[in-house]
Amino acid sequence: MIIIWDLIVLTVGREDTGKRSGESEAEMIVMMLPSDANPKGNVFGGVILKHVDLIAGLVAKRHSGRANVVTASIDRMVFLKPVFIGNALIISARITYVRRSSMEIEVNVEAEDLDDNSKVHAATAFVTMVALDKYGKPIKVPHLVMEDENDKKRYSEGELRMNSRLKDAGKV
Ligand SMILES: CC(C)(COP(=O)(O)OP(=O)(O)OC[C@H]1O[C@@H](n2cnc3c(N)ncnc32)[C@H](O)[C@@H]1OP(=O)(O)O)[C@@H](O)C(=O)NCCC(=O)NCCS
């Protein structure tokens, strides 16, 4: 029996036992430098976007394991507050929804004024990452295990957003 099970695992692949969002969530803190900003000291949106993309990729990679992960889309991103040279950019990200090969990652950006430790919410973004196999074909990732009502709420909101972005992209 054990030999037959081993054969199934070898031929079909590992059973999808799922993963919790806590297993892949991430936070990074980056000091904003003069090279990140315009001459008046405002940090470029593109610099923030780069970090958003990076952390979303990291979370997706943690969730999907060996697969290569690429960015399929980043939803419209609004910069709510300015970020300045010398601020610490605090970026946190977690997976909210998984379809088959695609994963929605919610990324929150705060800016901390290191002189007085005050923080402002600078932006939120939803990034869709897609897992690819070694031939570049989309590959199934572990399903998302939901632990409580908050997880379920985030998941169903993520599903609604995914349906709407796929509609906008002409994919459904
Ligand atoms: C993302 C990409 C792999 C999708 O390829 P595709 O040929 O459309 O493949 P599919 O139609 O099979 O879609 C694969 C998955 O991507 C999702 N997807 C495709 N376009 C999407 C979009 N615009 N937004 C969100 N998800 C999208 C599909 O829903 C599907 O998800 P599922 O497996 O969970 O159902 C492909 O467009 C690509 O390689 N893009 C470039 C990615 C990249 O290099 N990014 C870095 C910046 S250049």
Side-chain angles (χ1 to χ4, degrees), residues 70-73 99-102 128 130 132 138 165-166 169 171:
V70 293
T71 314
S73 72
R99 209 171 183 93
R100 198 189 88 87
S101 64
S102 61
T128 304
V130 174
L132 305 176
R165 73 174 67 91
L166 290 176
K171 289 275 175 179

